[in-house]
Amino acid sequence: MKFDLTVDNGPCETDLRTWCMGIAIYTLFSIVLGVLITPTVFTFIGLAIAVITNACLLIGCRRENHRLIAVWFIYAILLAINFPFALLGTIFHFGGYRESTGINNVFGALFMHIVIFILGLFCARIVYSYYLQLKNRESRPQAVPVV
């Protein structure tokens, strides 16, 4: 089974642009809601990163600018770097990773972190595909003069 890194359309043959805007809006909403419910110093740092990167994704989708969309990959990279720490923090009960899921059970918290990571990979694949679409569209000449 071959797994492609990029896709031409989103799920259900929808436009990648709408999926990217939905990803940005959902992430902004969930992060802001999480900070309002359980405020800590680390969530405010995460809030700043998430707001900046997802705002760039929203503006990049509206203006169809691949450079602004590339800023979102900072968020995806931080999500990927955090995944092993989240698993170890959940298993060995340090850093508040188990409590951050809202589940005090080890297996439930591990399941939540794995699901969040898989959703992050899915979102990164869609955003990367849209980024390549825009980058290829801007690199092609729009009109070729005929002599």
Side-chain angles (χ1 to χ4, degrees):
M1 183 172 140
K2 186 178 177 186
F3 183 75
D4 291 328
L5 191 59
T6 61
V7 291
D8 294 329
N9 292 321
C12 302
E13 299 299 321
T14 54
D15 187 29
L16 290 175
R17 180 176 180 245
T18 57
W19 276 92
C20 288
M21 291 178 77
I23 289 167
I25 292 169
Y26 171 75
T27 307
L28 280 171
F29 180 74
S30 64
I31 293 289
V32 169
L33 192 63
V35 167
L36 291 175
I37 292 173
T38 57
T40 63
V41 173
F42 294 115
T43 55
F44 283 119
I45 295 169
L47 174 72
I49 293 170
V51 166
I52 291 169
T53 56
N54 285 293
C56 285
L57 180 61
L58 269 175
I59 295 167
C61 287
R62 296 282 297 156
R63 294 185 181 173
E64 296 186 354
N65 186 347
H66 73 278
R67 289 181 190 93
L68 286 173
I69 291 174
V71 174
W72 186 84
F73 294 123
I74 295 170
Y75 179 74
I77 289 169
L78 290 177
L79 185 68
I81 290 171
N82 184 46
F83 181 66
F85 294 110
L87 291 182
L88 292 173
T90 301
I91 293 169
F92 298 113
H93 202 265
F94 68 89
Y97 285 102
R98 192 181 300 175
E99 291 81 9
S100 69
T101 60
I103 301 171
N104 204 15
N105 183 359
V106 175
F107 297 111
L110 282 173
F111 179 73
M112 285 296 292
H113 283 297
I114 291 170
V115 167
I116 291 168
F117 183 67
I118 290 172
L119 285 174
L121 288 177
F122 174 75
C123 294
R125 181 179 181 212
I126 289 176
V127 172
Y128 181 66
S129 298
Y130 185 60
Y131 167 77
L132 286 180
Q133 268 185 3
L134 288 180
K135 190 173 178 182
N136 290 338
R137 188 182 306 161
E138 289 180 6
S139 66
R140 272 187 257 139
Q142 297 296 330
V144 177
V146 178
V147 179

